[in-house]
Amino acid sequence: MPASADTTWPSASAQSWRELIDKARDDGFNGVALVGHGGTIDGIAAIGIADAANGVPVTTRTRFEIGSMSKWVASVVVLKLVDQGMLDLDAPIGRYLPDYRADNGARLTLRRLMCHSSGLPNDVLKARQADPASRGVELPMPEAVRRYASGDLAFTPGTQWDYSQSNWILVQAIVERIGGMTYPALVDRLLVRPLGLKDSGIYSGDSAKTDGMAVGYAALTPSPQPKPNPIPGYMAMTGGFYTSAPDLLTLMNAVLSGDLLTARSRSELTTIQMPDQHYALGGRIRSAQVGGAMRELAWEDGSNGGFRMVARRVLADEHTVVTLNNASWDYQKLGDLADALLETTYVKSR
């Protein structure tokens, strides 16, 4: 990404990652930044306040919402079930939800839902815009599907791209029915416990009620302004995953370089489905000039309430950066910082 108009990051070839972090701190960054390679943390910094009301500082193990990167995590869970022979990305979803409307059930597949090319309208967003109070209302999954994921298709599946949160309500309903347990329980069984993640999981409602979580703020100065955006349980796949920077590095390493997924499923996760959007399954894959060469990266961004996050991982050589923020820091600046930090990981090898 190009540098934002009011922030010019020092040249990575002349500056260390720590100098970049110091500049970000001076510019108002509040959160955690990590650089690593493979599963190894090469540098990590915790800056600012996690909970202003209780005087809790950010630490390297502070937990943050990751917003839409939760869809990438959800894709990993789906692919684990694919690896176990329980799901097929290209089967009509009516196979898994026999009570779902038959016409859509015969036309939709998990692949189309997971790459936002299903044609399923974003009815959950429309409902929230019409009635903001509906944001925090919990619903049983069958009722959530009926209200928000059963609309007439806006286009033939696979022909267009439309970022619809309703896709993931339907994916979650399938996963919970076929997996035989709630989505939070599946995340715990398939990801958290096998990988030894210490600060990760699924929340519902206001994330600030979760132990160890940062509070999301619209701003911290001149006075703290909390900015919660509750996520009901039926939308856990859309934005309900929380994690720390070290845990996120562990997860990305296990998924993209380890044996958490089969080689076939890892390929599915990183294959672009919708080229105009660089969109794969639950996240983006982009090529960018990094470290003096064009490289292919897992390109993750997310936001919810006062939380902002950016994560990048070079697929070929495992250079990784994670930036987590809980004070609505400018998204462009956060992306610029992540890009500059990633550059520092190549300095010694030039």
Side-chain angles (χ1 to χ4, degrees):
M1 282 185 265
S4 56
D6 57 349
T7 301
T8 301
W9 299 107
S11 168
S13 63
Q15 301 290 322
S16 69
W17 75 272
R18 173 60 71 177
E19 289 171 303
L20 293 171
I21 290 298
D22 288 344
K23 180 173 176 60
R25 177 194 288 110
D26 293 344
D27 199 39
F29 176 80
N30 192 95
V32 177
L34 175 154
V35 292
H37 179 243
T40 300
I41 297 173
D42 296 321
I44 186 169
I47 297 168
I49 298 296
D51 180 350
N54 294 295
V56 179
V58 173
T59 73
T60 57
R61 288 190 57 182
T62 296
R63 300 170 174 184
F64 293 79
E65 296 182 26
I66 63 167
S68 288
M69 193 181 174
S70 299
K71 298 175 180 66
W72 182 85
V73 176
S75 296
V76 175
V77 171
V78 171
L79 289 166
K80 284 290 293 182
L81 297 180
V82 170
D83 284 343
Q84 294 173 10
M86 300 174 72
L87 293 174
D88 183 330
L89 292 179
D90 298 307
I93 64 167
R95 174 189 298 181
Y96 307 120
L97 294 178
D99 295 331
Y100 187 61
R101 58 180 286 181
D103 55 347
N104 284 2
R107 300 178 71 193
L108 296 178
T109 66
L110 281 166
R111 185 185 303 278
R112 292 295 147 222
L113 293 168
M114 292 164 64
C115 69
H116 292 286
S117 65
S118 68
L120 194 67
N122 200 352
D123 285 342
V124 67
L125 177 61
K126 294 175 185 176
R128 288 176 162 213
Q129 291 172 336
D131 179 13
S134 68
R135 288 176 177 271
V137 176
E138 289 288 353
L139 294 172
M141 183 56 72
E143 179 62 15
V145 169
R146 186 188 70 80
R147 290 192 192 185
Y148 304 134
S150 298
D152 294 337
L153 301 186
F155 52 82
T156 300
T159 63
Q160 299 181 44
W161 188 86
D162 180 49
Y163 196 80
S164 172
Q165 307 285 22
S166 296
N167 287 320
W168 292 92
I169 295 174
L170 198 49
V171 174
Q172 186 171 330
I174 293 167
V175 164
E176 290 186 337
R177 185 176 187 277
I178 300 304
M181 61 185 72
T182 66
Y183 180 60
L186 279 165
V187 168
D188 185 65
R189 181 172 72 84
L190 297 176
L191 302 182
V192 173
R193 281 185 284 165
L195 298 179
L197 303 180
K198 299 179 177 63
D199 300 296
S200 302
I202 300 295
Y203 74 92
S204 61
D206 184 353
S207 69
K209 297 178 181 178
T210 301
D211 290 344
M213 283 287 298
V215 176
Y217 295 95
L220 282 167
T221 58
S223 60
Q225 302 170 39
K227 188 181 180 181
N229 187 24
I231 298 288
Y234 65 84
M235 291 185 70
M237 279 190 170
T238 73
F241 191 77
Y242 67 84
T243 192
S244 64
D247 269 12
L248 188 54
L249 177 67
T250 296
L251 177 59
M252 294 183 77
N253 188 59
V255 170
L256 296 171
S257 302
D259 58 3
L260 186 70
L261 297 176
T262 63
R264 180 176 179 179
S265 283
R266 187 166 57 250
S267 177
E268 292 281 15
L269 184 68
T270 56
T271 297
I272 294 173
Q273 304 289 323
M274 305 303 290
D276 288 351
Q277 296 293 328
H278 309 280
Y279 209 86
L281 298 180
R284 286 182 166 84
I285 301 293
R286 297 183 71 107
S287 293
Q289 187 79 17
V290 182
M294 289 298 295
R295 305 178 195 271
E296 192 173 48
L297 298 89
W299 190 276
E300 304 294 343
D301 307 84
S303 67
N304 187 54
F307 292 90
R308 308 280 187 271
M309 67 81 58
V310 172
R312 307 277 189 255
R313 185 178 180 90
V314 180
L315 297 180
D317 60 19
E318 305 174 351
H319 289 235
T320 308
V321 61
V322 172
T323 56
L324 304 171
N325 179 268
N326 66 312
S328 301
W329 205 46
D330 182 82
Y331 226 146
Q332 181 70 57
K333 291 181 181 180
L334 192 64
D336 292 343
L337 173 62
D339 292 344
L341 287 171
L342 192 58
E343 282 289 330
T344 71
T345 68
Y346 287 92
V347 172
K348 291 181 180 179
S349 60
R350 289 183 190 172

